[in-house]
Amino acid sequence: MSKILVTGGAGFIGSHTCVELLEAGHEIVILDNFSNSKPEALNRIKKITGKDFKFYEADLLNLSDVEKVFKENDISAVIHFAGLKAVGESVQKPVEYYHNNITGTLMLIQAMRKYNCKKIVFSSSATVYGVNNPVPYVETMPTNSSTNPYGYTKVMIEQILKDVYVSDNNWSVVLLRYFNPIGAHKSGLIGEDPNGIPNNLFPYIAQVATGKLEALGVFGNDYDTPDGTGVRDYIHVVDLATGHLNALNYALEHNGVEAVNLGTGKGSSVMDVLHAFEKACGKELPYVIKPRRAGDIATCYADTHKAKELLGWEAKYQLDEMAADGWNFTKNNPNGL
């Protein structure tokens, strides 16, 4: 089987995808700098799968480190997760976000080109759709009006990869636009374990449930939604991981550029997620209504037809299962990995 390089493979989505790749029989090489992940995740991947893999602690900004990985391994494709990903932080630190995410990707592409590896699955985001497109989001919609620097790094990297293909039609590029990944692996061994105070809803709720944080802040309850709170398309991280496996298999067989949404195709509100988590952990959780956040939109969910038609993929898990699996991980790892 081919050897797949997974950048950011120790992270939340990366680690779950590595499990799916190994269980499908792929050989993997992981590159990670642990800026928002932990070395223990690598041990857990091995424990779940019973398989070993090569690991490089390296930063994509260091071209010689990246080239070393390609020089020492016969890499046939790359799944590119590595990048800074907190929307709020990106507004405070735009230069750091642009430099890390875009320059890091350029270094990766340079190394790929040098070693004739021309297949890449890129971890993009629904933020590329911005605020002006109507829901559900369809892949053909314009993607040039993000609301924050993080989103713009995704827009720009998508454009860079499209331009790379135009310059050389031997490339195969799949741009996976994620919606909101939550949940955890059934084993309870890996899940979302951010460093510091979480930026995302689900791990924040989890830390309220364990008593680490006092209450959930709900940003705005006056949106035009069923209960006034923001509606998002939450997808189980294992569903998301299998989407990468299907995208990789597609990239290995086809040249070209394809953008594909990975979501469930339906929205759940902040309160829906909170109540699902309460059901999972068996107790009510405190929350505080706060003002809306700048750049937040009322409703965001995917049109999922293309993923089914092109990749033969669709999400299987419902919100209750996402919450139960997420709580299982939190309960087993109250202090994180």
Side-chain angles (χ1 to χ4, degrees), residues 33-36 59-61 80-87 89-90 93-102 105 122-123 148-151 153-154 157 199:
N33 68 356
F34 299 127
S35 67
N36 194 33
D59 195 305
L60 289 179
L61 295 171
H80 178 30
F81 293 106
L84 300 173
K85 62 171 192 177
V87 169
E89 185 182 60
S90 78
K93 299 179 173 179
V95 174
E96 287 81 354
Y97 267 68
Y98 286 122
H99 178 56
N100 184 83
N101 293 6
I102 295 172
T105 303
F122 173 57
S123 165
N148 54 75
Y150 161 74
T153 68
K154 298 297 188 186
I157 292 166
N199 291 292

Side-chain angles (χ1 to χ4, degrees), residues 35 88 167 264:
S35 67
S167 73
T264 62

